[in-house]
């Protein structure tokens, strides 16, 4: 099925049909990966523009392109690019669109992806725009939930931590809202609540959500999605220091809980190392799904172009 979009900027663009088609294709890509990949994107070039730190998203997009026989050109950090000299995002994307068949960009400014996509001559993927959205992470999170539970409908998902600045939880809650009978629990200090624009979109879609402050409230559901307190987004360092240890999940907390623990990573202390040994810990399985989902997106978006 062809996708309903050319550029992937925000989860709001996706229909359930799009999401199901991408996950279906990603499941197929898992088999392709078992054979080491194939050559369907031979001759195609991905430009990876990462103007904010990244390990997983950057490398998994590159790995996905290589596994499908394509090539990757990339730039890291603003300092080594023309943005440093004052070039606009729009000009950069117009130029890079002449070199590559598809562009993937991460940038610290919310809204930067929409600006890039609006002028891009080739398919454009948002790999994280500041505290805005991170749609490809949400898709791999969705695939993880499906694999861990068997299905998505009816999932009770608690999201914990910095829900204000965490772009992954913004995208994931909107993506889950396309499914039936979803119950969301947002657990955060009151300073780091899920933003109003996301809450009102969920209400418009009649999605049940509750807001809490205690980590224990998330232990009875299906998924406990932990997040990092996003140090780089705080204006006041003291506020960060006060909130950084708001939630620390340990193996002891999970003693009587079958909840599946997810995390987009990197973690910086909010999941103790002893949790890694439990069957509940799905965050390294989650990472693996990133390559398959990004292979599916690259193949489908280039097919659409
Ligand atoms: C996340 C991000 O960049 O938003 N990381 C990722 O892409 N896996 C989460 C984070 O940085 O906390």
């Amino acid at each position: 099925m062809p996708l309903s979009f050319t550029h992937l900027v925000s989860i709001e663009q996706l229909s359930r049909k799009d999401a199901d088609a991408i996950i279906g294709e990603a499941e197929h890509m898992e088999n392709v990966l078992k054979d080491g990949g194939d050559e369907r994107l031979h001759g195609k070039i991905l430009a990876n523009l990462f103007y904010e730190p990244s390990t997983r998203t950057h490398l998994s997009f590159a790995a996905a392109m290589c596994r499908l026989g394509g090539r990757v050109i990339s730039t890291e950090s603003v300092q080594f690019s023309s943005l440093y000299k004052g070039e606009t995002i729009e000009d950069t994307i117009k130029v890079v669109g002449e070199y590559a068949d598809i562009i993937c960009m991460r940038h610290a400014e919310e809204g930067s992806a929409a600006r890039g996509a609006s002028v891009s001559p080739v398919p454009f993927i948002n790999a994280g725009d500041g505290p805005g959205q991170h749609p490809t992470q949400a898709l791999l999170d969705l695939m993880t939930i499906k694999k861990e539970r068997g299905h998505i409908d009816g999932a009770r998902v608690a999201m914990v931590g910095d829900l204000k600045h965490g772009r992954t939880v913004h995208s994931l809650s909107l993506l889950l809202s396309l499914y039936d009978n979803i119950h969301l629990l947002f657990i955060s200090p009151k300073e780091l609540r899920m933003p109003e624009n996301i809450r009102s979109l969920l209400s418009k879609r009649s999605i049940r959500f509750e807001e809490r402050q205690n980590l224990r409230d998330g232990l009875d559901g299906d998924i406990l999605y932990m997040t990092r307190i996003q140090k780089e987004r705080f204006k006041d360092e003291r506020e960060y220091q006060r909130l950084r240890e708001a939630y620390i999940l340990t193996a002891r907390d999970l003693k009587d809980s079958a909840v599946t623990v997810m995390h987009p990573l990197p973690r910086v202390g909010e999941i103790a190392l002893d949790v890694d040994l439990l069957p509940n810990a799905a965050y390294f399985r989650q990472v693996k799904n990133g390559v398959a989902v990004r292979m599916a997106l690259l193949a489908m978006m280039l097919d659409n172009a």
Side-chain angles (χ1 to χ4, degrees), residues 147-184:
K147 281 171 75 174
E148 296 287 326
R149 290 186 74 236
H151 55 280
I152 300 159
D153 289 326
R156 292 166 305 155
V157 181
M159 301 184 190
V160 183
D162 190 347
L163 307 185
K164 177 181 176 190
H165 306 110
R167 54 195 171 201
T168 69
V169 288
H170 303 164
S171 291
L172 181 58
S173 39
L174 294 180
L175 185 55
L176 284 169
S177 76
L178 299 173
Y179 290 81
D180 297 332
N181 256 321
I182 296 295
H183 190 183
L184 301 175

Side-chain angles (χ1 to χ4, degrees), residues 10-304:
S10 151
I11 285 294
E12 283 158 77
Q13 298 170 252
L14 263 68
S15 64
R16 177 170 177 160
K17 265 195 177 152
D18 289 319
D20 285 341
I22 296 163
I23 302 303
E25 185 64 14
E27 285 163 354
H28 165 69
M29 289 299 183
E30 287 188 304
N31 290 327
V32 173
L33 270 172
K34 282 189 192 131
D35 298 331
D38 65 23
E39 289 296 316
R40 78 184 70 186
L41 296 185
H42 178 82
K44 299 286 185 194
I45 294 180
L46 162 71
N48 251 343
L49 309 179
F50 278 76
Y51 302 120
E52 247 199 344
S54 173
T55 301
R56 273 151 292 271
T57 310
H58 190 171
L59 291 182
S60 64
F61 261 113
M65 193 63 180
C66 295
R67 293 286 183 195
L68 294 175
R71 292 176 190 223
V72 185
I73 54 175
S74 60
T75 171
E76 276 170 78
S77 108
V78 172
Q79 211 188 328
F80 298 118
S81 71
S82 282
L83 291 181
Y84 190 65
K85 302 181 193 164
E87 185 168 59
T88 62
I89 289 170
E90 285 83 349
D91 281 1
T92 298
I93 296 302
K94 280 187 204 161
V95 169
V96 175
E98 297 300 326
Y99 305 151
D101 301 288
I102 186 161
I103 298 174
C104 174
M105 184 182 86
R106 170 171 290 187
H107 193 283
E109 242 173 75
E110 185 165 359
S112 53
R115 284 172 54 200
S118 72
V119 296
S120 183
V122 297
F124 177 100
I125 301 174
N126 177 8
D129 62 328
Q133 288 233 2
H134 194 347
T136 67
Q137 177 72 40
L139 285 161
L140 79 89
D141 294 341
L142 188 75
M143 181 177 181
T144 307
I145 294 172
K146 185 173 175 205
K147 281 171 75 174
E148 296 287 326
R149 290 186 74 236
H151 55 280
I152 300 159
D153 289 326
R156 292 166 305 155
V157 181
M159 301 184 190
V160 183
D162 190 347
L163 307 185
K164 177 181 176 190
H165 306 110
R167 54 195 171 201
T168 69
V169 288
H170 303 164
S171 291
L172 181 58
S173 39
L174 294 180
L175 185 55
L176 284 169
S177 76
L178 299 173
Y179 290 81
D180 297 332
N181 256 321
I182 296 295
H183 190 183
L184 301 175
L185 197 58
F186 297 143
I187 302 175
S188 74
K190 53 185 185 322
E191 297 86 344
L192 302 178
R193 282 175 74 190
M194 185 62 84
E196 159 58 26
N197 65 325
I198 306 285
R199 282 184 282 129
S200 81
L201 266 167
L202 294 173
S203 301
K204 254 192 225 146
R205 292 182 178 179
S206 308
I207 297 299
R208 279 186 297 165
F209 68 86
E210 289 167 57
E211 294 185 274
R212 302 280 175 79
Q213 291 185 30
N214 194 332
L215 177 60
R216 302 212 70 77
D217 292 333
L219 299 178
D220 299 332
D222 300 306
I223 306 286
L224 187 67
Y225 190 100
M226 299 292 295
T227 66
R228 167 178 78 87
I229 308 292
Q230 310 266 304
K231 180 172 192 228
E232 68 277 28
R233 313 263 182 241
F234 281 77
K235 289 189 191 86
D236 180 354
E237 163 80 16
R238 277 167 312 180
E239 168 115 315
Y240 168 71
Q241 291 301 341
R242 193 167 58 75
L243 297 172
R244 58 186 277 235
E245 291 186 344
Y247 303 108
I248 298 174
L249 182 72
T250 66
R252 221 166 113 185
D253 297 318
L254 293 166
K255 199 162 54 74
D256 301 312
S257 169
V259 74
T260 296
V261 181
M262 293 174 59
H263 192 305
L265 302 177
R267 66 173 151 182
V268 287
E270 57 282 346
I271 301 180
L273 294 180
D274 60 6
V275 177
D276 296 4
L277 305 172
L278 303 177
N280 312 50
Y283 30 93
F284 291 112
R285 297 193 285 275
Q286 187 180 349
V287 166
K288 201 167 168 214
N289 297 330
V291 178
V293 159
R294 290 175 174 127
M295 286 165 77
L297 273 171
L298 291 169
M300 293 171 94
M301 289 178 75
L302 280 166
D303 218 32
N304 247 12

